[in-house]
Amino acid sequence: MPTDQAIVRDPAALRAAQRGAARSPLIQRALMYLLKAVVVLGVICVASLALPYVPSPVAALLWAVASGVVALGFAYPYVVRKLHRQLTLTGVGPLARWNAGRVVCLLVSFVLAAALMAGLMFSVPKWGVSEWVLAVVAIPLFFGVLLLVERVFAKGIKQPYQTSSALKWAGLITGALLCAVYALVCALTPAPTFPTAAGAFMAAANPFESSPSMLLSEAGTYGALIDGLTAFGLSQAADQVFVGYVVWKCVLEASVFFGISTVLWFCSIPQEELLRVFRPLGANPEDGLRQPLRPAYVIEAVLLPVLLVAAFMGVDAQFSQIAETQEYSAAKQFVRNQVNLVVVEWGGSYYEYQPSLVELLDDMKARSEALAAEAADQMVPLINASYDARLANVDSYLDWYYSLPADYERLFNTVVGTVDELVATQLSERIEAGIDDSQLEALVQSYSEQAAALDAEFQDKLRYFKLEGYPDWLVSAKSALDFSAPLQATQQLMTAQERFVAAGVAGLVAGIVAKQVVGKLVQKQFFKRIVAMVVEKLGVASASTAIGATVGTVGGPLGTAAGVLVGAGIGILVDTAMLKIDEAQNRASYREEIVAGIEESRADALAMVGAA
């Protein structure tokens, strides 16, 4: 390790030692500033977060202490200015005595600090990630700016004026830089949209809503109204001029960032310099550091926070008394009148009544009716032609049904399937013969999709008016609007395709109209009788064959064969007789039921497209 003499003989070593000596106080100063900044700003932030939940006396004390501390930082440059002015005076006379006083200086500083701390402590509980990040970044940022400003002022301004001027400029520059970074964050973040002022108010955070302090609760309600109306105005402005929206957002948040800068300003003032606030000015700057503290100034600095606590408690008690004698507090009544929220209840949800909501309902109703009219014009002729063709096929189906080949086809096919499915398939094939509903089915699908899209659009636009978690005291009136009326014309059309399919028998036919028709017919009584009759005929046919075979066994093998033939002949005669009897008794009633089923299906189809 080099000795002192070696350092003196070596110029390079001497310069290194000087830089190390200069660097050591800077490091100590930086560490002291960092410690004070973290503690003071941290305490204010924690106190702000606790403010909505603490009793009135504690809330008043937190605010008063924070204001009293920051007031010293405000008072310091005023005192330095007084010192500079005092050097230009003779030291005697009324001007010198007035200039040396601190009563007005401390009072003005405390009022400014109280206003700034109120804004900061009200804002901290509503901070997001960006605000917290900026608050943390501001700590090293301020110190770096302060060092740069001090280097600029080092060659032109004497102490203590250098420190005072550097602090003021560092505070202004830091606040401006924080606003600039916040502007960049706002520019990169999509602007929130609020279709109504009431929606913006309810979206505004109000952490003081349930505060034990009535004064803070009232102030929080007023603040939420201001924030809500501001957010609503900014959301409207963002649609027009996004740059203006960003600038105005920064203007609104400027007090918060300059409040943070002021707290850091206070933390940067050396302790001896800060005590100038309570010492006489002296004949020169150095004299002030050796003067004893003036008790009167210390008492005033302590008394002002005490008076603020007393004023807070008095106003809080007054607000509490007013709230106990009225249905709504003054703030809630004011907000209620300003917002003028009218609520519409529908389907278990709540919506805000607005002229634009009525316009939406009228527009949707007109579009729904136009779509329904267009669908009816396109589909009604096709529906009637399709069902008229089915009516024409009824007699041909009955002619086939009462033929002996058809009777044997039913008996034979029951071996490979159920009777119900067989009869339904045969009925569908004959009634649907020669009918092509592809154009109609395409129109049903198209208009069903258009109606569903219109409904989806309506529901999506309704979300802009939907209210979530609104307080009851905010509602000034309730209105009755029918949200089902606008789309009533296309209500049936919207689900026409699904209803056509649901009304049919799955697996029988591909067409949605055919499914609907068969679905109606299989529910009729004639269908059940046909199924029962097929089952009976199976038993009769088996009995005829068995009788013939029994008789034939008397004559040996040849007799058995002859018996089978006899049984078959008996079966044919029986089947022919039964068909004729059934046709004479039931054909007319079967026809009536089939026609009725087709007409019912026609009526349903017309109703589904809104033409019934």
Side-chain angles (χ1 to χ4, degrees):
M1 182 175 182
T3 64
D4 293 342
Q5 292 181 351
I7 292 176
V8 171
R9 286 194 298 269
D10 186 354
L14 178 60
R15 288 193 296 271
Q18 291 173 342
R19 287 196 298 271
R23 191 177 295 116
S24 179
L26 177 60
I27 294 175
Q28 293 178 0
R29 178 187 175 191
L31 292 176
M32 183 58 65
Y33 159 78
L34 181 62
L35 178 62
K36 291 168 61 178
V38 171
V39 171
V40 174
L41 188 59
V43 169
I44 290 177
C45 289
V46 171
S48 302
L49 294 174
L51 197 63
Y53 311 103
V54 297
S56 298
V58 178
L61 185 62
L62 292 175
W63 181 30
V65 172
S67 302
V69 170
V70 176
L72 299 181
F74 272 129
Y76 172 72
Y78 283 101
V79 172
V80 173
R81 285 185 59 191
K82 284 176 175 289
L83 175 61
H84 181 267
R85 193 183 298 115
Q86 190 75 4
L87 297 178
T88 65
L89 301 175
T90 61
V92 296
L95 289 179
R97 289 194 299 272
W98 179 82
N99 184 66
R102 311 291 160 78
V103 175
V104 177
C105 172
L106 290 173
L107 178 61
V108 173
S109 299
F110 184 79
V111 171
L112 290 175
L116 203 59
M117 287 301 99
L120 181 61
M121 297 181 78
F122 257 82
S123 299
V124 169
K126 297 180 284 187
W127 276 4
V129 175
S130 58
E131 286 85 356
W132 281 110
V133 171
L134 288 176
V136 173
V137 170
I139 296 177
L141 176 64
F142 181 89
F143 191 74
V145 172
L146 179 60
L147 293 180
L148 292 176
V149 174
E150 285 179 346
R151 173 171 289 188
V152 174
F153 289 169
K155 298 181 180 180
I157 302 177
K158 296 180 179 180
Q159 289 290 9
Y161 314 113
Q162 180 190 124
T163 299
S164 175
S165 299
L167 285 172
K168 287 188 294 185
W169 278 102
L172 292 174
I173 293 173
T174 302
L177 288 175
L178 292 176
C179 289
V181 175
Y182 184 73
L184 179 61
V185 173
C186 291
L188 297 176
T189 305
T193 56
F194 299 102
T196 64
F201 169 77
M202 286 183 288
N206 181 13
F208 298 91
E209 183 176 5
S210 301
S211 173
S213 169
M214 182 55 66
L215 176 58
L216 290 181
S217 178
E218 293 287 87
T221 302
Y222 283 120
L225 174 64
I226 295 173
D227 291 344
L229 294 179
T230 302
F232 175 68
L234 290 177
S235 69
Q236 304 302 311
D239 294 336
Q240 307 299 325
V241 184
F242 188 73
V243 175
Y245 158 78
V246 173
V247 171
W248 189 242
K249 282 280 289 183
C250 292
V251 170
L252 294 176
E253 295 295 327
S255 62
V256 175
F257 297 127
F258 280 99
I260 295 173
S261 180
T262 302
V263 174
L264 299 176
W265 170 351
F266 164 79
C267 297
S268 302
I269 304 174
Q271 182 177 347
E272 286 300 318
E273 286 294 320
L274 190 62
L275 291 177
R276 284 182 184 274
V277 176
F278 303 108
R279 286 173 171 156
L281 297 179
N284 58 65
E286 289 74 17
D287 288 344
L289 297 177
R290 294 190 293 269
Q291 297 288 337
L293 301 181
R294 291 286 299 272
Y297 303 151
V298 177
I299 292 173
E300 182 182 1
V302 174
L303 185 60
L304 287 173
V306 173
L307 293 176
L308 180 61
V309 171
F312 184 99
M313 296 302 298
V315 177
D316 186 77
Q318 186 68 24
F319 272 102
S320 298
Q321 183 179 0
I322 294 174
E324 291 176 357
T325 58
Q326 297 180 354
E327 182 180 3
Y328 302 113
S329 67
K332 289 182 177 179
Q333 187 63 52
F334 179 79
V335 172
R336 176 186 172 97
N337 294 337
Q338 296 303 312
V339 174
N340 190 27
L341 176 63
V342 180
V343 171
V344 180
E345 181 180 0
W346 181 258
S349 299
Y350 296 89
Y351 303 84
E352 181 181 359
Y353 177 87
Q354 288 286 330
S356 54
L357 176 60
V358 178
E359 294 176 3
L360 173 64
L361 298 180
D362 292 340
D363 176 63
M364 286 295 168
K365 182 178 181 181
R367 291 171 60 183
S368 175
E369 291 176 348
L371 181 63
E374 178 184 340
D377 290 342
Q378 293 288 326
M379 289 192 287
V380 167
L382 294 178
I383 290 174
N384 286 327
S386 175
Y387 284 95
D388 288 343
R390 287 179 174 84
L391 291 177
N393 287 336
V394 173
D395 287 325
S396 62
Y397 164 72
L398 292 174
D399 291 341
W400 171 86
Y401 172 80
Y402 284 112
S403 66
L404 195 60
D407 191 47
Y408 286 133
E409 181 181 343
R410 287 191 291 274
L411 294 176
F412 174 77
N413 286 334
T414 54
V415 177
V416 295
T418 65
V419 176
D420 294 55
E421 182 179 358
L422 170 66
V423 174
T425 301
Q426 292 177 339
L427 176 63
S428 174
E429 290 174 352
R430 300 293 172 173
I431 295 296
E432 300 294 327
I435 298 176
D436 182 8
D437 283 329
S438 58
Q439 183 180 359
L440 174 60
E441 292 172 1
L443 288 176
V444 169
Q445 179 178 357
S446 173
Y447 282 109
S448 294
E449 292 173 353
Q450 292 181 57
L454 186 64
D455 179 75
E457 179 185 350
F458 179 50
Q459 299 301 326
D460 184 64
K461 290 183 177 179
L462 274 182
R463 289 191 296 106
Y464 289 102
F465 302 93
K466 193 171 184 178
L467 299 174
E468 298 288 352
Y470 67 92
D472 292 336
W473 59 264
L474 189 62
V475 179
S476 58
K478 292 188 176 182
S479 176
L481 286 178
D482 187 359
F483 286 176
S484 65
L487 300 183
Q488 190 170 7
T490 52
Q491 193 65 40
Q492 298 288 342
L493 184 63
M494 184 171 59
T495 58
Q497 184 179 10
E498 291 79 2
R499 294 179 64 190
F500 266 120
V501 175
V505 178
L508 293 180
V509 284
I512 60 175
V513 179
K515 285 180 179 290
Q516 209 269 352
V517 174
V518 175
K520 288 288 184 182
L521 294 180
V522 298
Q523 297 174 11
K524 295 296 182 180
Q525 190 64 33
F526 85 93
F527 182 84
K528 299 177 183 178
R529 292 204 300 269
I530 289 175
V531 171
M533 190 173 298
V534 172
V535 174
E536 292 176 1
K537 285 184 177 181
L538 283 172
V540 171
S542 300
S544 300
T545 304
I547 293 172
T550 301
V551 172
T553 54
V554 178
L558 293 177
T560 301
V564 170
L565 293 175
V566 171
I570 295 173
I572 292 173
L573 294 176
V574 170
D575 289 339
T576 303
M578 290 180 63
L579 282 174
K580 294 300 181 181
I581 294 172
D582 182 37
E583 183 176 12
Q585 292 180 343
N586 297 315
R587 176 167 178 147
S589 61
Y590 285 178
R591 188 180 190 286
E592 290 178 1
E593 290 189 52
I594 295 173
V595 170
I598 294 174
E599 291 295 350
E600 288 177 13
S601 180
R602 185 206 299 263
D604 289 346
L606 292 173
M608 289 179 188
V609 300

